[in-house]
Amino acid sequence: MRSSRAAGTTAGPAPGTRCTSWRTRRSRTPIAGPCAGGLKPPVGAAGPSCDEYPFAATYEGGTALPPASRGITWVPVRENNRQGGILNKFQLQQRILDRDGFWVQV
């Protein structure tokens, strides 16, 4: 996330914008999203999950930005699910609606 931010992504010159569109977010799944581009899970990893920044839940997520402005890696499924839950809870509690901007602090 830090390297993506340094490249000027969602926490750089502009905030990330929440995406609530099911169709848009569906296009960012590991099958169709940036992890489909050849990133292989580590050998022997138990149930790795593709994690991306900017988040798939933003309009900047997936392949919306050039490769130099985004980051992807493999993380444990539990960790990825937990972080997704934290982000969703934050957006609901703060009433961040579709296309509302928000900043990420690392």
Side-chain angles (χ1 to χ4, degrees), residues 4 9-10 19 24-30 32-36 50-72:
S4 296
T9 57
T10 61
C19 174
T24 301
R25 290 174 70 171
R26 183 173 182 215
S27 70
R28 298 179 182 160
T29 64
C35 289
C50 180
D51 192 23
E52 70 286 334
Y53 185 83
F55 309 117
T58 65
Y59 282 99
E60 296 79 18
T63 56
L65 298 175
S69 296
R70 61 183 192 253
I72 55 173

Side-chain angles (χ1 to χ4, degrees), residues 12 27-28 31 38 43 50-51 57 70 74 83 89-92 97 103:
S27 70
R28 298 179 182 160
I31 295 168
V43 176
C50 180
D51 192 23
R70 61 183 192 253
W74 292 97
Q83 286 302 115
K89 182 178 178 180
F90 164 77
Q91 291 173 332
L92 291 172
L97 306 175
W103 297 93

Side-chain angles (χ1 to χ4, degrees), residues 25 51 55 57 77-91:
R25 290 174 70 171
D51 192 23
F55 309 117
V77 172
R78 184 175 178 179
E79 178 181 324
N80 204 9
N81 290 343
R82 184 171 183 269
Q83 286 302 115
I86 290 170
L87 177 62
N88 188 52
K89 182 178 178 180
F90 164 77
Q91 291 173 332

